[in-house]
Amino acid sequence: MPFLLPLGFGLIQALLWAWLRPTYFILFFPAVILSALVGGFTAGLTTTFVSALAANYFFMPPALSFNFDGPTCVQLATFVFNCLVITGVTELLSRNHRQMVTSRFEEAIHGMRESYLSLDADGVVAYANERAEALRTPSNSTLVGKRIWDVYPQLKGTDLHKNVLSVLETKVPIFFEAQNLAKTRWLEHRIYPADKGVTLFSDDITQRVAARKALEKKTQEAIETNARLRWVNSELERSNCELEQFAHVASHDMKEPLRMIANYVRLLEEDYGSKLDENGKMFIDFAAKGALRLNALLNDILTHSQVQSSPMEYGRASMGDCVKEALDQLKTRVQETGAQVHFDSLPTIAYDQRGLVRVFQNLLGNALKFCHQGCAPEIRIGVAETPVEWIVSVTDNGIGVDPADQDRIFQLFKRGHSQDEYPGSGIGLATCKTIVERMGGSIWVESDAGKGATFRFTIPKDIKPNRTSVAPPMKQL
Amino acid sequence: MNGTKMRHGAYILLVEDNPADSLLITRALSNGSAGTRVVVAKDGYEATKLLPPAGGTTSVPKPDLILLDLNMPRKDGRTLLAEIKSNPSLRCIPVVVLTSSEADTDVNSAYSHHANSYFSKPMDLKEFYDVLDRIKQYWLADVKLPTQCVC
């Protein structure tokens, strides 16, 4: 604190005077010091002389009269001298301090990234920082002292001009963004009201504006993409809904005329069979078989669409029960082929029971169908587990799946064999894939053609049952 | 036909819009049971006209059995079933639904409206005949039918 120095000096003088006597001058030192501190040099000086006169008149003997004899004058002169020194030093230090503050302020103003202009009410520039000068004037001239609207007549009528006038009138700061006159850069103007005019800060925000514009563009694009996705989604939902309706039409409305064809073909055979030759009977047989195959196809399509649209119902039940139920539905074919089906104890897990029965039904049905001529199918069902999933396998000793077909066969209507060799709709494995994937698992086949096949599918262990009771037994397909 | 004591002169009202099915069903029902009379109504309206009106005593005969298709133009089988079963003088007539629909909603709705049984028309002709034989055996030979509705 620079003020401590005169304070200390004053204190020493006071002590000296106390020792020299008369002590009453001590009373006046604080007044002089305070006056010098608060009011500066002139106030300190005035207080000094008033104090000297007051001391002479009131305190120095004889009291209540002025005395200017030799010793008194020496005392007074010493007092005045000391006070002058105190006042002078105080003034010097405080001026130094003020200058330091001012120069720091100017340094800050000049070093600013923003341009800074102090304008009076008429728009005359009272102060401009380096940035403002560099931005706005030819290098050999300064803005200070000039009317800004004369230097840049193009500014008149712009937002900047209007806003400066507005701040002058309302004394309320205005912040706004505008392009520079050449329209090459973006500036942020902040106009603050000042005593007799305004203060104008202008910052180059071209990069910020560019970034913001890019962000806005991206946001707009995202919004548009989102809207497009929503539209696509609703279109998908609509087309899915239409597909389900189509499956309904297929299962009912298409089956009705199909049933008529099948029935009347049989009726034709029944009533007129005796009048037909072998060719005629063969034609009728083809027609009847075609109708039955179309019926099976329609049933499979219906099942597939139901699997896609109906909600999964996860309950806990024995996998062994599912295999037994699937085998029960296939028992005619098991008996016809003399198949052996082996499975050890299968775990009780959480899964969609109807779905799992369907998967087993399709896989076991395929194993029974795709067997070597004259060789009884032998089927093994096994379960392995990893920390996160169950891996179920169905292995047969049939004709196997050609490696080229191993991915294809899980697609809808994709078949590995001709209708004559092995009849089927080409839907069963696609249905299995849909069911397994809806449960969060995957399905694949491992096979060397001619040496049997192993179909494996996974069931995640983290399936949470969403129903407590066991699903009712499935309707016969 | 394994039924031995087939009711003589049974009157069956068949409500069926498809002439191909009408012909098949009529053939199957008439086969081996002399005197069985099958009257065909092509939709719910025609069937209503063939049934005695509610309340009044009338000479219009009541059928012993109604075979009902569900999907028909104008007035469908569901509406007709609800009307018959809410009519005190008709509700004792057994109504057997015979339709191509396998939908659970149709089955549940039919029984909720007091249908006496529900059959889906089988795809195979032999099975179709079998179903009709069983219907005939059960409703026209095995069970005893009411002589009049009492409320």
Side-chain angles (χ1 to χ4, degrees):
Chain A
M1 277 294 286
F3 299 113
L4 285 177
L5 203 63
L7 218 60
F9 181 77
L11 204 64
I12 292 164
Q13 287 293 321
L15 287 173
L16 182 70
W17 274 86
W19 177 67
L20 279 176
R21 294 183 317 146
T23 50
Y24 35 78
F25 279 114
I26 295 173
L27 293 172
F28 296 98
F29 278 116
V32 173
I33 292 166
L34 267 177
S35 299
L37 276 178
V38 175
F41 187 72
T42 323
L45 212 63
T46 314
T47 313
T48 303
F49 285 110
V50 170
S51 299
L53 289 173
N56 192 318
Y57 184 78
F58 290 105
F59 296 103
M60 296 178 96
L64 295 176
S65 68
F66 288 105
N67 175 14
F68 290 105
D69 62 4
T72 310
C73 280
V74 172
Q75 279 185 3
L76 276 174
T78 314
F79 171 73
V80 168
F81 173 74
N82 279 317
C83 285
L84 285 178
V85 170
I86 291 168
T87 308
V89 169
T90 303
E91 168 67 18
L92 218 64
L93 286 172
S94 86
R95 183 177 296 168
N96 199 15
H97 178 69
R98 271 205 305 278
Q99 255 174 6
M100 204 166 68
V101 170
T102 310
S103 73
R104 274 191 193 162
F105 172 72
E106 276 184 14
E107 227 171 73
I109 290 285
H110 278 295
M112 271 193 332
R113 191 188 58 175
E114 291 99 329
S115 91
Y116 166 84
L117 281 174
S118 180
L119 305 178
D120 71 5
D122 198 33
V124 175
V125 178
Y127 189 89
N129 72 351
E130 282 170 19
R131 184 96 181 118
E133 299 276 12
L135 262 182
R136 295 173 192 278
T137 60
S139 53
N140 58 353
S141 78
T142 173
L143 271 175
V144 177
K146 290 180 186 130
R147 196 162 170 271
I148 189 92
W149 317 125
D150 294 339
V151 180
Y152 299 109
Q154 317 94 290
L155 279 177
K156 274 193 179 170
T158 60
D159 281 350
L160 181 64
H161 186 217
K162 287 181 204 160
N163 286 331
V164 165
L165 296 180
S166 165
V167 172
L168 280 170
E169 195 183 309
T170 61
K171 301 275 175 200
V172 176
I174 292 180
F175 304 163
F176 69 103
E177 290 172 6
Q179 277 188 290
N180 64 350
L181 285 169
K183 305 264 183 220
T184 52
R185 309 206 66 81
W186 275 92
L187 300 170
E188 184 190 49
H189 298 294
R190 296 192 295 278
I191 312 169
Y192 297 93
D195 247 1
K196 290 169 192 162
V198 297
T199 312
L200 169 63
F201 291 93
S202 305
D203 193 8
D204 189 326
I205 53 163
T206 308
Q207 279 184 338
R208 204 205 299 168
V209 169
R212 195 179 61 207
K213 289 225 160 113
L215 189 68
E216 274 166 10
K217 196 175 157 217
K218 280 215 172 77
T219 310
Q220 187 57 36
E221 276 170 7
I223 289 169
E224 277 164 18
T225 308
N226 209 8
R228 211 163 41 235
L229 280 178
R230 264 207 297 277
W231 181 79
V232 169
N233 207 21
S234 73
E235 279 296 292
L236 269 177
E237 268 171 27
R238 194 183 54 77
S239 74
N240 264 348
C241 191
E242 274 175 7
L243 268 179
E244 277 165 34
Q245 280 171 349
F246 177 77
H248 188 82
V249 169
S251 67
H252 297 116
D253 295 14
M254 284 170 74
K255 277 174 86 172
E256 178 86 33
L258 177 61
R259 194 168 48 76
M260 273 169 58
I261 295 170
N263 283 342
Y264 278 87
V265 165
R266 282 285 168 224
L267 214 56
L268 205 62
E269 190 184 27
E270 212 170 79
D271 288 9
Y272 300 93
S274 56
K275 293 177 188 164
L276 292 171
D277 62 4
E278 282 310 304
N279 257 350
K281 283 178 186 160
M282 190 173 72
F283 294 167
I284 283 182
D285 200 42
F286 281 154
K289 277 183 181 157
L292 283 178
R293 224 172 72 201
L294 184 52
N295 183 47
L297 184 62
L298 289 175
N299 280 340
D300 284 354
I301 290 174
L302 176 65
T303 306
H304 189 74
S305 82
Q306 274 174 346
V307 160
Q308 281 179 317
S309 61
S310 60
M312 305 301 269
E313 293 181 336
Y314 298 120
R316 287 193 77 83
S318 154
M319 198 186 282
D321 288 348
C322 284
V323 174
K324 281 174 197 153
E325 194 180 328
L327 280 174
D328 194 47
Q329 293 179 22
L330 296 165
K331 66 181 171 211
T332 319
R333 265 151 77 191
V334 173
Q335 283 161 4
E336 280 170 5
T337 54
Q340 296 286 312
V341 182
H342 311 278
F343 55 95
D344 303 326
S345 63
L346 298 173
T348 293
I349 58 171
Y351 52 77
D352 180 82
Q353 191 183 7
R354 282 162 169 259
L356 202 63
V357 171
R358 275 211 177 100
V359 172
F360 276 126
Q361 208 180 322
N362 277 306
L363 293 183
L364 293 171
N366 281 348
L368 292 171
K369 181 162 65 176
F370 296 103
C371 60
H372 292 290
Q373 206 72 43
C375 170
E378 200 167 331
I379 306 168
R380 258 169 221 290
I381 300 161
V383 177
E385 70 174 304
T386 74
V388 291
E389 60 191 5
W390 302 97
I391 304 168
V392 186
S393 60
V394 177
T395 307
D396 64 43
N397 61 341
I399 57 167
V401 181
D402 194 292
D405 289 335
Q406 287 179 5
D407 288 331
R408 261 180 86 243
I409 53 170
F410 292 101
Q411 294 169 21
L412 206 54
F413 301 122
K414 292 285 193 283
R415 294 167 38 78
H417 300 274
S418 75
Q419 204 56 247
D420 288 342
E421 288 176 293
Y422 297 97
S425 63
I427 297 176
L429 284 175
T431 305
C432 289
K433 186 175 159 76
T434 304
I435 294 169
V436 168
E437 286 179 354
R438 283 197 70 190
M439 283 196 280
S442 52
I443 186 167
W444 69 95
V445 61
E446 294 161 7
S447 172
D448 291 325
K451 291 176 187 168
T454 298
F455 282 85
R456 287 184 214 278
F457 62 93
T458 59
I459 302 173
K461 282 183 172 175
D462 60 1
I463 290 178
K464 299 275 180 294
N466 61 4
R467 55 174 297 139
T468 44
S469 61
V470 171
M474 219 177 56
K475 214 168 84 180
Q476 189 88 31
L477 282 175
Chain B
M1 204 62 226
N2 44 10
T4 46
K5 288 185 283 181
M6 190 67 72
R7 185 186 304 265
H8 187 77
Y11 165 28
I12 301 172
L13 176 61
L14 169 65
V15 193
E16 169 66 66
D17 66 317
N18 184 342
D21 275 346
S22 297
L23 180 64
L24 271 186
I25 295 166
T26 312
R27 263 178 73 131
L29 290 177
S30 311
N31 183 27
S33 50
T36 300
R37 192 160 67 96
V38 182
V39 175
V40 181
K42 286 209 284 291
D43 58 48
Y45 279 112
E46 280 193 15
T48 311
K49 279 190 215 149
L50 291 167
L51 289 167
T57 51
T58 160
S59 58
V60 178
K62 263 183 218 157
D64 295 303
L65 178 68
I66 297 173
L67 283 180
L68 183 64
D69 187 18
L70 287 185
N71 296 316
M72 290 181 295
R74 300 207 290 173
K75 189 198 277 186
D76 72 1
R78 299 168 188 83
T79 317
L80 183 65
L81 174 65
E83 278 177 14
I84 291 170
K85 291 303 183 181
S86 59
N87 183 336
S89 59
L90 297 178
R91 67 163 67 122
C92 63
I93 304 169
V95 177
V96 172
V97 175
L98 184 59
T99 176
S100 54
S101 168
E102 289 173 34
D104 285 347
T105 49
D106 280 336
V107 178
N108 296 340
S109 136
Y111 283 109
S112 301
H113 286 100
H114 308 290
N116 296 75
S117 50
Y118 187 110
F119 290 91
S120 291
K121 291 172 186 167
M123 178 63 65
D124 185 72
L125 184 67
K126 193 180 165 302
E127 283 174 39
F128 199 98
Y129 279 167
D130 284 349
V131 163
L132 286 164
D133 271 350
R134 285 203 294 275
I135 292 173
K136 204 163 67 171
Q137 173 68 27
Y138 183 77
W139 289 107
L140 301 181
D142 294 349
V143 302
K144 206 159 167 51
L145 292 173
T147 49
Q148 68 174 103
C149 293
V150 183
C151 301

XYZ file of all heavy atoms in Angstrom, chain A residues 311-372:
487
model
N -47.162 -61.602 -30.698
C -46.154 -61.282 -29.691
C -45.525 -62.558 -29.123
O -46.161 -63.615 -29.089
C -46.950 -60.554 -28.619
C -48.345 -61.008 -28.793
C -48.526 -61.327 -30.235
N -44.239 -62.444 -28.706
C -43.579 -63.589 -28.082
C -44.095 -63.705 -26.656
O -44.237 -62.703 -25.955
C -42.063 -63.383 -28.050
C -41.442 -63.095 -29.397
S -41.722 -64.409 -30.578
C -40.280 -65.408 -30.316
N -44.362 -64.938 -26.245
C -44.819 -65.141 -24.870
C -43.803 -66.034 -24.177
O -43.714 -67.225 -24.445
C -46.208 -65.811 -24.881
C -47.268 -64.887 -25.443
C -48.637 -65.525 -25.440
O -48.710 -66.773 -25.448
O -49.614 -64.776 -25.419
N -43.015 -65.392 -23.306
C -41.944 -66.139 -22.658
C -42.425 -66.712 -21.331
O -42.790 -65.981 -20.428
C -40.738 -65.238 -22.418
C -40.128 -64.701 -23.689
C -40.061 -63.347 -23.927
C -39.643 -65.583 -24.651
C -39.515 -62.851 -25.102
C -39.095 -65.102 -25.820
C -39.033 -63.738 -26.041
O -38.498 -63.260 -27.194
N -42.422 -68.040 -21.247
C -42.718 -68.684 -19.978
C -41.619 -69.691 -19.701
O -40.791 -69.980 -20.567
N -41.586 -70.231 -18.515
C -40.587 -71.267 -18.213
C -41.246 -72.621 -18.397
O -42.299 -72.876 -17.830
C -40.095 -71.119 -16.768
C -39.173 -69.927 -16.570
C -38.483 -70.016 -15.235
N -37.403 -70.988 -15.268
C -36.183 -70.709 -15.726
N -35.903 -69.519 -16.154
N -35.246 -71.630 -15.736
N -40.640 -73.440 -19.199
C -41.178 -74.791 -19.360
C -40.063 -75.712 -19.823
O -38.991 -75.255 -20.226
C -42.325 -74.786 -20.360
N -40.341 -76.995 -19.748
C -39.327 -77.977 -20.093
C -39.152 -78.070 -21.601
O -40.125 -78.196 -22.343
C -39.732 -79.330 -19.517
O -39.157 -80.357 -20.285
N -37.907 -78.025 -22.045
C -37.644 -78.147 -23.474
C -38.033 -79.544 -23.954
O -38.472 -79.724 -25.087
C -36.156 -77.884 -23.729
C -35.827 -77.552 -25.160
S -34.065 -77.435 -25.424
C -33.731 -75.836 -24.760
N -37.881 -80.511 -23.054
C -38.263 -81.883 -23.397
C -39.733 -81.967 -23.774
O -40.112 -82.685 -24.710
N -40.586 -81.203 -23.052
C -42.021 -81.208 -23.368
C -42.283 -80.675 -24.765
O -43.166 -81.160 -25.479
C -42.791 -80.360 -22.340
C -42.847 -81.057 -20.982
O -42.498 -82.266 -20.942
O -43.218 -80.404 -19.995
N -41.499 -79.656 -25.134
C -41.659 -79.080 -26.471
C -41.322 -80.118 -27.543
O -42.031 -80.252 -28.538
C -40.732 -77.881 -26.660
S -41.303 -76.428 -25.819
N -40.204 -80.844 -27.314
C -39.808 -81.872 -28.279
C -40.899 -82.932 -28.369
O -41.274 -83.370 -29.462
C -38.460 -82.496 -27.861
C -38.104 -83.667 -28.770
C -37.358 -81.450 -27.891
N -41.438 -83.325 -27.208
C -42.472 -84.367 -27.206
C -43.715 -83.895 -27.953
O -44.331 -84.658 -28.707
C -42.838 -84.742 -25.764
C -41.811 -85.678 -25.132
C -42.124 -85.914 -23.677
C -40.899 -86.494 -22.961
N -40.908 -86.161 -21.536
N -44.073 -82.612 -27.725
C -45.265 -82.102 -28.405
C -45.055 -82.067 -29.914
O -45.937 -82.443 -30.693
C -45.593 -80.686 -27.893
C -46.992 -80.243 -28.291
C -47.329 -78.845 -27.789
O -46.838 -78.454 -26.719
O -48.092 -78.162 -28.492
N -43.841 -81.639 -30.317
C -43.539 -81.592 -31.749
C -43.578 -83.004 -32.338
O -44.133 -83.225 -33.416
C -42.169 -80.955 -31.970
N -43.006 -83.965 -31.604
C -42.983 -85.344 -32.098
C -44.388 -85.920 -32.171
O -44.711 -86.678 -33.097
C -42.121 -86.220 -31.166
C -40.616 -86.112 -31.378
C -39.876 -86.903 -30.309
C -40.225 -86.610 -32.768
N -45.225 -85.522 -31.221
C -46.593 -86.010 -31.211
C -47.306 -85.604 -32.499
O -48.078 -86.373 -33.076
C -47.308 -85.441 -29.978
C -48.612 -86.165 -29.727
O -48.599 -87.415 -29.752
O -49.634 -85.479 -29.531
N -47.020 -84.366 -32.931
C -47.670 -83.894 -34.148
C -47.089 -84.549 -35.402
O -47.674 -84.476 -36.471
C -47.545 -82.368 -34.237
C -48.342 -81.695 -33.130
C -48.235 -80.190 -33.172
O -47.929 -79.621 -34.200
N -48.495 -79.562 -32.044
N -45.904 -85.142 -35.241
C -45.255 -85.780 -36.396
C -45.327 -87.299 -36.298
O -44.643 -88.000 -37.029
C -43.782 -85.350 -36.449
C -43.483 -83.869 -36.691
C -42.038 -83.562 -36.353
C -43.783 -83.502 -38.143
N -46.155 -87.810 -35.375
C -46.033 -89.240 -35.054
C -46.322 -90.152 -36.237
O -45.697 -91.201 -36.373
C -46.915 -89.604 -33.851
C -48.391 -89.485 -34.064
C -49.130 -89.849 -32.793
C -50.602 -89.522 -32.963
N -51.220 -89.137 -31.708
N -47.254 -89.725 -37.140
C -47.546 -90.556 -38.308
C -46.276 -90.769 -39.122
O -45.958 -91.895 -39.511
C -48.603 -89.862 -39.181
O -49.590 -89.295 -38.333
C -49.252 -90.855 -40.129
N -45.563 -89.673 -39.342
C -44.356 -89.781 -40.167
C -43.256 -90.543 -39.434
O -42.460 -91.257 -40.053
C -43.864 -88.410 -40.594
C -44.408 -88.085 -41.983
C -44.578 -86.628 -42.187
N -43.296 -85.973 -42.442
C -43.174 -84.647 -42.443
N -44.216 -83.891 -42.168
N -42.011 -84.106 -42.704
N -43.208 -90.379 -38.106
C -42.213 -91.130 -37.334
C -42.488 -92.626 -37.494
O -41.581 -93.427 -37.749
C -42.238 -90.721 -35.854
C -41.324 -91.624 -35.024
C -41.810 -89.267 -35.689
N -43.769 -92.979 -37.393
C -44.123 -94.394 -37.526
C -43.853 -94.899 -38.938
O -43.287 -95.978 -39.131
C -45.600 -94.594 -37.172
C -45.835 -94.570 -35.668
C -47.290 -94.308 -35.314
O -48.158 -94.218 -36.189
N -47.555 -94.188 -34.015
N -44.258 -94.096 -39.947
C -44.072 -94.510 -41.342
C -42.602 -94.748 -41.675
O -42.264 -95.695 -42.358
C -44.611 -93.422 -42.282
C -46.112 -93.458 -42.450
C -46.630 -92.227 -43.190
O -45.785 -91.410 -43.656
O -47.856 -92.090 -43.278
N -41.742 -93.875 -41.174
C -40.322 -93.988 -41.539
C -39.558 -94.905 -40.591
O -38.434 -95.297 -40.890
C -39.644 -92.601 -41.497
O -39.887 -92.025 -40.209
C -40.194 -91.685 -42.558
N -40.147 -95.242 -39.450
C -39.451 -96.066 -38.470
C -38.286 -95.322 -37.832
O -37.260 -95.908 -37.484
N -38.450 -94.020 -37.699
C -37.344 -93.188 -37.213
C -37.058 -93.415 -35.728
O -37.950 -93.753 -34.961
C -37.678 -91.721 -37.451
N -35.787 -93.246 -35.371
C -35.374 -93.279 -33.966
C -35.026 -91.848 -33.551
O -34.213 -91.196 -34.192
C -34.116 -94.138 -33.801
C -34.317 -95.606 -34.149
C -35.106 -96.324 -33.063
O -34.798 -96.185 -31.882
N -36.148 -97.060 -33.453
N -35.672 -91.377 -32.498
C -35.366 -90.024 -32.023
C -34.789 -90.125 -30.609
O -35.426 -90.699 -29.722
C -36.623 -89.131 -32.016
C -36.265 -87.718 -31.572
C -37.263 -89.104 -33.397
N -33.564 -89.651 -30.435
C -32.917 -89.725 -29.120
C -32.770 -88.341 -28.532
O -32.344 -87.421 -29.224
C -31.509 -90.331 -29.233
C -31.483 -91.600 -30.013
N -31.816 -92.807 -29.461
C -31.169 -91.833 -31.305
C -31.696 -93.748 -30.388
N -31.313 -93.184 -31.524
N -33.111 -88.183 -27.277
C -32.711 -86.956 -26.585
C -32.568 -87.246 -25.097
O -33.333 -88.007 -24.518
C -33.681 -85.804 -26.844
C -35.123 -86.074 -26.514
C -35.655 -85.711 -25.287
C -35.949 -86.686 -27.448
C -36.979 -85.951 -25.000
C -37.276 -86.935 -27.154
C -37.805 -86.572 -25.936
N -31.542 -86.678 -24.506
C -31.306 -86.859 -23.069
C -32.176 -85.862 -22.326
O -33.049 -85.227 -22.906
C -29.822 -86.628 -22.750
C -28.961 -87.556 -23.575
O -29.406 -88.692 -23.826
O -27.851 -87.134 -23.972
N -31.892 -85.708 -21.066
C -32.698 -84.757 -20.287
C -32.403 -83.348 -20.795
O -31.257 -82.930 -20.902
C -32.340 -84.861 -18.809
O -31.002 -84.505 -18.634
N -33.457 -82.656 -21.152
C -33.313 -81.304 -21.688
C -33.683 -80.309 -20.595
O -34.551 -80.575 -19.766
C -34.216 -81.126 -22.916
C -33.883 -82.067 -24.088
C -34.919 -81.946 -25.193
C -32.502 -81.758 -24.639
N -33.046 -79.134 -20.601
C -33.250 -78.198 -19.480
C -34.611 -77.499 -19.533
O -35.280 -77.479 -20.564
C -32.136 -77.165 -19.690
C -31.874 -77.187 -21.143
C -32.107 -78.599 -21.595
N -34.968 -76.958 -18.397
C -36.145 -76.102 -18.336
C -35.661 -74.661 -18.401
O -34.874 -74.221 -17.567
C -36.912 -76.345 -17.019
O -37.457 -77.657 -17.055
C -38.040 -75.334 -16.869
N -36.089 -73.937 -19.412
C -35.572 -72.580 -19.624
C -36.731 -71.645 -19.971
O -37.861 -72.089 -20.142
C -34.525 -72.545 -20.770
C -35.164 -73.068 -22.055
C -33.318 -73.358 -20.408
C -34.304 -72.879 -23.261
N -36.392 -70.368 -20.071
C -37.412 -69.387 -20.456
C -37.396 -69.219 -21.966
O -36.351 -68.974 -22.545
C -37.134 -68.050 -19.786
N -38.547 -69.400 -22.585
C -38.650 -69.195 -24.032
C -40.108 -69.131 -24.416
O -40.994 -69.375 -23.595
C -37.947 -70.321 -24.799
C -38.395 -71.694 -24.371
C -39.608 -72.204 -24.796
C -37.617 -72.451 -23.517
C -40.028 -73.451 -24.374
C -38.033 -73.691 -23.087
C -39.240 -74.196 -23.525
O -39.667 -75.405 -23.102
N -40.343 -68.817 -25.692
C -41.698 -68.790 -26.231
C -42.062 -70.222 -26.610
O -41.520 -70.778 -27.554
C -41.742 -67.881 -27.453
C -43.119 -67.814 -28.063
O -43.940 -67.040 -27.567
O -43.366 -68.562 -29.034
N -42.959 -70.824 -25.861
C -43.195 -72.248 -26.024
C -43.776 -72.598 -27.397
O -43.293 -73.509 -28.065
C -44.128 -72.777 -24.933
C -44.161 -74.295 -24.955
C -45.129 -74.882 -23.949
O -45.871 -74.169 -23.309
N -45.115 -76.186 -23.836
N -44.798 -71.837 -27.836
C -45.368 -72.116 -29.157
C -44.285 -72.058 -30.216
O -44.216 -72.901 -31.110
C -46.403 -71.053 -29.516
C -47.728 -71.221 -28.848
C -48.484 -69.912 -28.919
N -49.862 -70.091 -28.529
C -50.875 -70.195 -29.384
N -50.662 -70.110 -30.673
N -52.100 -70.393 -28.957
N -43.419 -71.031 -30.097
C -42.361 -70.839 -31.073
C -41.395 -72.010 -31.071
O -41.038 -72.530 -32.124
N -40.994 -72.426 -29.865
C -40.013 -73.505 -29.769
C -40.587 -74.824 -30.302
O -39.889 -75.583 -30.979
C -39.550 -73.667 -28.318
C -38.207 -74.359 -28.174
C -37.108 -73.545 -28.828
C -37.869 -74.596 -26.715
N -41.868 -75.065 -30.027
C -42.501 -76.273 -30.568
C -42.455 -76.220 -32.088
O -42.125 -77.207 -32.757
C -43.961 -76.401 -30.061
C -44.676 -77.521 -30.807
C -43.982 -76.676 -28.565
N -42.756 -75.044 -32.651
C -42.747 -74.896 -34.114
C -41.359 -75.162 -34.675
O -41.210 -75.819 -35.701
C -43.165 -73.478 -34.505
C -44.646 -73.318 -34.591
C -45.056 -72.287 -35.622
N -46.501 -72.261 -35.671
C -47.251 -71.341 -35.067
N -46.679 -70.375 -34.387
N -48.565 -71.388 -35.154
N -40.325 -74.631 -33.979
C -38.956 -74.823 -34.458
C -38.628 -76.319 -34.474
O -38.155 -76.863 -35.477
C -37.948 -74.052 -33.575
C -36.519 -74.419 -33.947
C -38.153 -72.552 -33.724
N -38.924 -76.989 -33.355
C -38.643 -78.435 -33.290
C -39.451 -79.193 -34.348
O -38.952 -80.115 -34.980
C -38.961 -78.977 -31.894
C -37.828 -78.768 -30.919
C -38.043 -78.128 -29.711
C -36.558 -79.218 -31.212
C -37.006 -77.939 -28.816
C -35.504 -79.035 -30.322
C -35.733 -78.385 -29.126
N -40.704 -78.782 -34.507
C -41.569 -79.447 -35.471
C -40.983 -79.355 -36.878
O -40.948 -80.344 -37.606
C -42.911 -78.737 -35.428
C -44.089 -79.603 -35.792
C -45.340 -78.743 -35.705
O -45.460 -77.891 -34.820
N -46.243 -78.952 -36.625
N -40.496 -78.167 -37.228
C -39.914 -77.979 -38.563
C -38.603 -78.737 -38.714
O -38.371 -79.399 -39.724
C -39.683 -76.494 -38.835
C -40.947 -75.817 -39.335
O -41.549 -76.265 -40.306
N -41.360 -74.768 -38.659
N -37.727 -78.632 -37.680
C -36.412 -79.280 -37.792
C -36.567 -80.802 -37.801
O -35.939 -81.494 -38.592
C -35.499 -78.826 -36.644
C -35.093 -77.351 -36.661
C -34.130 -77.047 -35.516
C -34.452 -76.966 -37.991
N -37.427 -81.324 -36.898
C -37.639 -82.778 -36.851
C -38.348 -83.240 -38.123
O -38.024 -84.291 -38.675
C -38.455 -83.152 -35.612
C -37.745 -82.936 -34.268
C -38.718 -83.118 -33.109
C -36.574 -83.898 -34.124
N -39.304 -82.432 -38.590
C -40.025 -82.763 -39.825
C -39.057 -82.865 -40.994
O -39.135 -83.802 -41.803
N -38.112 -81.919 -41.064
C -37.107 -81.963 -42.130
C -36.225 -83.200 -41.993
O -35.900 -83.864 -42.977
C -36.227 -80.713 -42.083
C -36.920 -79.512 -42.698
O -37.954 -79.663 -43.353
N -36.367 -78.332 -42.472
N -35.824 -83.495 -40.749
C -34.957 -84.654 -40.520
C -35.668 -85.942 -40.948
O -35.032 -86.860 -41.477
C -34.561 -84.728 -39.046
N -36.975 -85.982 -40.738
C -37.735 -87.171 -41.144
C -37.890 -87.228 -42.662
O -37.925 -88.295 -43.255
C -39.125 -87.148 -40.494
C -39.177 -87.335 -38.981
C -40.583 -87.071 -38.461
C -38.732 -88.744 -38.594
N -37.995 -86.034 -43.266
C -38.252 -85.978 -44.710
C -36.992 -86.237 -45.536
O -36.994 -87.044 -46.452
C -38.846 -84.614 -45.051
C -39.172 -84.436 -46.516
C -40.135 -83.283 -46.767
C -39.529 -81.947 -46.391
N -40.429 -80.831 -46.717
N -35.925 -85.527 -45.155
C -34.720 -85.587 -45.997
C -33.824 -86.756 -45.578
O -32.691 -86.557 -45.128
C -33.956 -84.267 -45.931
C -34.726 -83.116 -46.490
C -35.346 -82.201 -45.658
C -34.858 -82.958 -47.862
C -36.057 -81.137 -46.171
C -35.579 -81.894 -48.391
C -36.187 -80.991 -47.544
N -34.359 -87.988 -45.700
C -33.551 -89.144 -45.305
C -33.175 -89.952 -46.548
O -33.765 -89.774 -47.613
C -34.316 -89.999 -44.310
S -35.861 -90.606 -44.978
N -32.174 -90.808 -46.376
C -31.770 -91.673 -47.488
C -32.864 -92.679 -47.750
O -33.506 -93.176 -46.826
C -30.469 -92.413 -47.144
C -29.288 -91.504 -47.065
N -28.744 -90.909 -48.181
C -28.550 -91.084 -46.008
C -27.721 -90.160 -47.814
N -27.583 -90.240 -46.487
